[in-house]
Amino acid sequence: MSDRRLEVDRVSKRYGDTVALDSMAFDVRAGEIFGFVGSNGAGKTTTMRIILGVLAADAGEVRWDGAPVTLETRSRIGYMPEERGLYPRMKVGEQLEYLARLHGLTKPDAAAAARSWAERLGVEGRFGDEVQKLSLGNQQRVQLAAALVHHPEILVLDEPFSGLDPVAVDVMSEVLKEKCAEGTPVIFSSHQLELVERLCDRVGIVRAGSMVACDTVDALRAEGGEELVVHAPQARDGWAAGIPGVTVRGEEAGRTVLALEDGADDQAVLAAALATGPVREFARRRSSLTELFRHVVSTEATEAKQSGTGEHGK
């Protein structure tokens, strides 16, 4: 596998007194799907726009294959904006061909690529329709085709799964896996964390314009620590309070999630649960990416409240 990579090196961006990005740093490797997650206003879209050159950074640098990204490099990036960037009154096929030609493809190659991606993404039947006449989900498919039609070396996708039905999600997921297998670095942002956890090789969690965690899903989940899940249908809330070394992380409908300190006695927990009645589940597990993200976001909200600041850039 090639060691080519997209590098975002200590990129910063301010709007007056508002800090949108604060020394944002990460890389996306060839043949890797990188999940970029964070709450609204964390800085994900700003980072992507700087990668594309839509915005200029105040400090830092974006590099591809060790060299600063230039206008010519950016022509080889496939970009899918969160806000659809298609011409609503232009027909699907004409639009895809036009965008392919803009990126340097010959007319025959552009026509072939447009038809191929329309078929691959399931919108070949709407090839002659205006974009504005398509459903939101089909517009999203066309937007992805527009990002892929010129055979890009890098894919940068902002909320590509937004508004898609499960079948379309599966189609798009397979396309991203295929591009990854071809050696294309893929970065996408999403609030659908279960999907991020399933698809991505690595994940970066952004908070207040900075990267606060970046690793494989398994490594991130390990950092979140181990939990004990207990399902005792007849237990009342608070049944586990007071057990040494045990912290209650959540209680709902008889299911309790507990954090155990090193050396805490799980058998004491089981005994306390059995004292309430039958126990249907008693299992250790790692925190999910969703739970880890919630912890990061709650930390952000607490810090913002304490400092009196609001959200950073998008």
Side-chain angles (χ1 to χ4, degrees), residues 101-120:
R101 293 293 304 279
L102 281 182
H103 283 86
L105 272 67
T106 65
K107 188 172 183 178
D109 287 347
R115 181 67 66 178
S116 174
W117 279 112
E119 292 175 355
R120 180 69 181 83

Side-chain angles (χ1 to χ4, degrees), residues 215-226 285-288 292:
D215 214 325
T216 64
V217 171
D218 287 344
L220 289 174
R221 291 180 64 192
E223 287 180 14
E226 195 172 55
R285 69 169 190 185
R286 292 289 184 188
S287 300
S288 68
L292 180 63

Side-chain angles (χ1 to χ4, degrees), residues 189-205:
S189 67
S190 179
H191 287 102
Q192 295 165 264
L193 298 184
E194 295 83 1
L195 190 60
V196 172
E197 189 167 351
R198 175 160 55 88
L199 275 180
C200 294
D201 300 294
R202 287 189 303 139
V203 175
I205 300 178

Side-chain angles (χ1 to χ4, degrees), residues 277-293:
V279 175
R280 306 299 187 197
E281 180 183 4
F282 189 83
R284 288 181 178 268
R285 69 169 190 185
R286 292 289 184 188
S287 300
S288 68
L289 183 62
T290 299
E291 290 162 335
L292 180 63
F293 176 74

Side-chain angles (χ1 to χ4, degrees), residues 160-288:
F161 296 96
S162 177
L164 295 183
D165 60 61
V167 173
V169 167
D170 289 343
V171 170
M172 191 169 289
S173 298
E174 288 305 311
V175 168
L176 298 190
K177 290 177 184 177
E178 289 171 10
K179 300 306 293 182
C180 175
E182 293 171 6
T184 303
V186 178
I187 173 174
F188 76 88
S189 67
S190 179
H191 287 102
Q192 295 165 264
L193 298 184
E194 295 83 1
L195 190 60
V196 172
E197 189 167 351
R198 175 160 55 88
L199 275 180
C200 294
D201 300 294
R202 287 189 303 139
V203 175
I205 300 178
V206 185
R207 187 181 72 210
S210 298
M211 187 69 73
V212 295
C214 184
D215 214 325
T216 64
V217 171
D218 287 344
L220 289 174
R221 291 180 64 192
E223 287 180 14
E226 195 172 55
E227 299 174 331
L228 185 63
V229 180
V230 183
H231 184 201
Q234 297 178 19
R236 296 182 177 179
D237 288 354
W239 66 269
I243 302 176
V246 174
T247 301
V248 178
R249 286 190 172 174
E251 291 179 299
E252 184 177 359
R255 181 172 274 100
T256 306
V257 179
L258 305 169
L260 273 61
E261 297 176 5
D262 290 341
D265 185 2
D266 59 2
Q267 295 305 301
V269 177
L270 178 59
L274 286 169
T276 71
V279 175
R280 306 299 187 197
E281 180 183 4
F282 189 83
R284 288 181 178 268
R285 69 169 190 185
R286 292 289 184 188
S287 300
S288 68

